[in-house]
């Protein structure tokens, strides 16, 4: 008997303990929710477009040898200042100097020939000029004769008569051919010839004769020009016995001078010479190496000026304008801000992996020691900005239909149930509550939600940079706005059925709203 009662006692304790645990576990516990607020305050708002770019010199000049050769002199290093005309590097020019000497000798020889020929008389040159005139005169006579014939052949009456005669010949040949067929001795040769003659006459009438006339006129003009040229040459020869020889010698001198200048330029190309006063940006050359197209010394005439080339997406490029201010930072020194200005916007985009970007050049306003050419930089182009205006955090601004506003904490005199969503039954009693108070909703099963109270205030907004929004009207400085809520709960998760009650629905959905606070805008 004692064991039986002990067992019954133990079971009773377990049942009572389990019931109490179930009651505590599934009974609705209140949710404590408070507003997260921020104050409307005076500040600056900037809308920017961000991009990454590369620091460059505004003007960098690559200098290289114009021809291959072994580098025998290197007179500068990176960072050196140089003057215009200074020799920066040089290749072996031994063979080039020899070529210059040879061309100098050729020029001297040509000049000596001119002196010698002035003392001689060449009758053969005069005779050749006289013969050229005679040939040119014969050419003019022949061309004029051809022109006369072409003019006669192009006469419309003559052409019409030729066509008529050719047609009659074709008709006669056709009749003869038909008669010959009857006797068995037919031959189509005469008929074919007559038809060919008719075609020729018709072609001449239809423009062929006119074209022949044009050609004859051109031939006559050319022959007359040749005659004038030959006569001019003869007149030159008759002026003096050595004029043509002198002209030839002078031409030889000119040719020798051109060749000498070319050799001298090749010799000059063996050196890299600074075109302007500048600073050496890079000089990756070594003595003894063979120069080629990659043997470059880079200089900049503006070492104290820098610019940043950044790639802007095509969706943003329309907002970028010349003269806009730019904020430049480096990953290595993000707190150091450098001022710049948009100085160039590319008209042609660049496509990489189907993404189109446009190059925007930003000039650094003031010299700075932290920037170096070749660095990667972060660029923020300031599209619009307002200073010393009333601002609130961007997340505080809500839109309801066509209205824009913010939620502000409710004052003690505001109805605690104001602003409940349409169709949602509020379980909060009408009472005066302080800002941040909660609504004590109740339900038989499920978890009651407490919503902090707030009031929707319409405002007029201005510039929004994604962090802060300019408030043009509707709020005053120092006024609190709701930017979110903070919730904490001591309730455990509810299940679909209670140990004590055994409800069939989802208790968590038994009371969906419960509070009297108005809904937040999107």
């Amino acid at each position: 008997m004692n064991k039986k009662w002990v067992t019954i006692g133990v079971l009773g304790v377990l049942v009572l303990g389990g019931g109490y645990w179930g009651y505590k576990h599934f009974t609705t516990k209140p949710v404590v929710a408070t507003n997260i607020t921020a104050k409307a305050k005076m500040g600056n708002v900037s809308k920017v477009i961000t991009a990454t770019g590369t620091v460059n010199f505004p003007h960098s000049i690559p200098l290289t040898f114009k021809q291959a050769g072994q580098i025998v002199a290197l007179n500068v290093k990176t960072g050196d200042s140089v003057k215009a005309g200074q020799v920066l590097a040089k290749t072996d020019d031994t063979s080039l100097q020899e070529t210059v000497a040879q061309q100098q000798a050729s020029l001297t020889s040509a000049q000596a020939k001119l002196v010698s020929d002035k003392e001689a008389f060449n009758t053969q040159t005069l005779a050749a000029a006289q013969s050229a005139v005679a040939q040119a005169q014969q050419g003019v006579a022949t061309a004029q004769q051809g022109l006369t014939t072409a003019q006669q052949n192009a006469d419309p009456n003559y052409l019409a008569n030729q066509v008529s005669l050719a047609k009659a010949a074709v008709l006669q040949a056709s009749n003869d051919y038909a008669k010959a067929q009857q006797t068995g001795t037919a031959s189509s040769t005469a008929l074919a010839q007559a038809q060919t003659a008719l075609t020729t006459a018709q072609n001449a009438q239809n423009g062929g004769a006119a074209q022949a006339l044009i050609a004859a006129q051109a031939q006559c003009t050319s022959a007359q020009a040749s005659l004038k040229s030959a006569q001019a040459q003869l007149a030159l020869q008759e002026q003096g016995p050595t004029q043509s020889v002198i002209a030839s010698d002078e031409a030889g001198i000119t040719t020798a001078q051109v060749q000498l200048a070319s050799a001298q330029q090749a010799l000059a190309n063996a050196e890299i010479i600074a075109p302007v006063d500048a600073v050496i940006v890079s000089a990756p050359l070594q003595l003894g190496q063979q120069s080629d197209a990659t043997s470059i010394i880079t200089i900049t005439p503006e070492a104290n000026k820098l610019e940043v080339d950044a790639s802007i997406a095509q969706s943003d490029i329309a907002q970028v304008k010349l003269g806009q201010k730019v904020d430049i930072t480096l990953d290595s020194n993000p707190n150091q801000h450098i001022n710049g200005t948009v100085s160039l916007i590319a008209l042609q985009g660049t496509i990489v992996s189907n993404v189109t970007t446009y190059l925007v050049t930003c000039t650094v306003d003031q010299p700075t020691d932290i920037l170096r050419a070749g660095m990667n930089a972060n660029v923020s182009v300031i599209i619009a900005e307002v200073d010393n205006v009333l601002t609130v955090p961007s997340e505080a601004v809500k839109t309801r239909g066509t209205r824009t506003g913010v939620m502000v904490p409710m004052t003690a005199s505001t109805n605690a149930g104001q602003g409940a969503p349409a169709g949602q039954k509020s379980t909060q009693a009408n009472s005066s509550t302080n800002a941040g108070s909660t609504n004590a909703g109740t339900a038989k099963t499920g978890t009651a939600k407490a919503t902090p109270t707030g009031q929707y205030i319409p405002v007029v907004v201005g510039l929004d940079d994604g962090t802060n929004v300019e408030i043009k009207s509707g709020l005053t400085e120092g006024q609190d706005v709701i930017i979110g809520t903070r919730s904490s709960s001591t309730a455990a998760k509810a299940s679909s059925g209670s140990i004590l009650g055994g409800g069939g629905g989802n208790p968590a959905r038994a009371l969906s709203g419960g509070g009297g606070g108005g809904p937040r805008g999107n």
Side-chain angles (χ1 to χ4, degrees), residues 41 54 70 87 144 146 171 177 187 202 218 228 368 428:
K41 60 183 180 180
T54 304
Q70 187 179 30
V87 176
Q144 287 177 336
L171 180 59
Y177 179 69
S187 174
Q202 289 173 333
K228 289 182 179 180
T368 174
Q428 179 179 331

Side-chain angles (χ1 to χ4, degrees), residues 110 113-114 117 242-255:
K113 187 175 184 303
L114 174 61
D117 288 342
T242 60
Q243 290 301 312
S244 61
V245 175
I246 292 174
S248 176
D249 289 346
E250 289 175 344
I253 291 174
T254 301
T255 300

Side-chain angles (χ1 to χ4, degrees), residues 85-312:
Q86 180 176 338
V87 176
L88 310 183
K90 182 178 178 179
T91 58
D92 186 3
D93 59 0
T94 303
S95 62
L96 298 175
Q97 290 180 352
E98 293 176 354
T99 302
V100 170
Q102 293 171 356
Q103 296 302 330
Q104 182 65 61
S106 296
L107 176 59
T108 301
S109 176
Q111 291 170 336
K113 187 175 184 303
L114 174 61
V115 174
S116 175
D117 288 342
K118 282 183 177 180
E119 300 174 356
F121 172 68
N122 192 341
T123 57
Q124 293 180 351
T125 304
L126 179 60
Q130 293 171 338
S131 176
V133 169
Q135 291 178 356
Q137 289 172 335
Q138 182 61 42
V140 169
T142 302
Q144 287 177 336
Q145 182 178 359
L147 176 60
T148 301
T149 301
Q151 289 172 336
Q152 293 174 350
N153 292 340
D155 181 75
N157 295 328
Y158 172 78
L159 292 173
N161 185 52
Q162 290 297 107
V163 171
S164 297
L165 292 175
K167 288 181 178 179
V170 170
L171 180 59
Q172 181 63 44
S174 178
N175 292 335
D176 292 344
Y177 179 69
K179 292 177 181 179
Q181 284 181 324
Q182 294 177 358
T183 61
T185 60
S187 174
S188 62
T189 301
L191 178 58
Q193 292 175 346
Q195 289 173 334
T196 300
L198 175 59
T199 300
T200 301
Q202 289 173 333
N203 288 341
Q205 187 182 36
N206 294 331
Q211 292 179 352
L213 176 59
I214 294 173
Q217 290 172 337
Q219 181 67 29
C220 187
T221 301
S222 176
Q224 291 173 342
S226 297
L227 175 59
K228 289 182 179 180
S229 177
Q231 289 172 337
Q233 289 295 326
L234 177 59
L236 182 64
Q237 292 295 327
E238 291 174 344
Q239 289 176 2
T242 60
Q243 290 301 312
S244 61
V245 175
I246 292 174
S248 176
D249 289 346
E250 289 175 344
I253 291 174
T254 301
T255 300
Q257 289 173 335
V258 171
Q259 292 174 342
L260 175 60
S262 177
Q264 290 172 334
Q265 183 61 52
L267 179 61
N269 289 342
E271 297 176 333
I272 295 180
I273 299 175
V276 294
D277 294 352
V279 173
I280 304 297
V281 176
S282 64
L285 306 181
Q286 293 181 356
L287 290 176
Q289 80 177 73
Q290 195 73 11
S291 68
D292 54 24
T294 63
S295 303
I296 297 175
I297 295 177
T298 303
I299 65 174
T300 177
E302 298 179 297
N304 61 336
K305 295 183 179 179
L306 291 170
E307 61 186 19
V308 180
D309 291 330
S311 296
I312 304 295

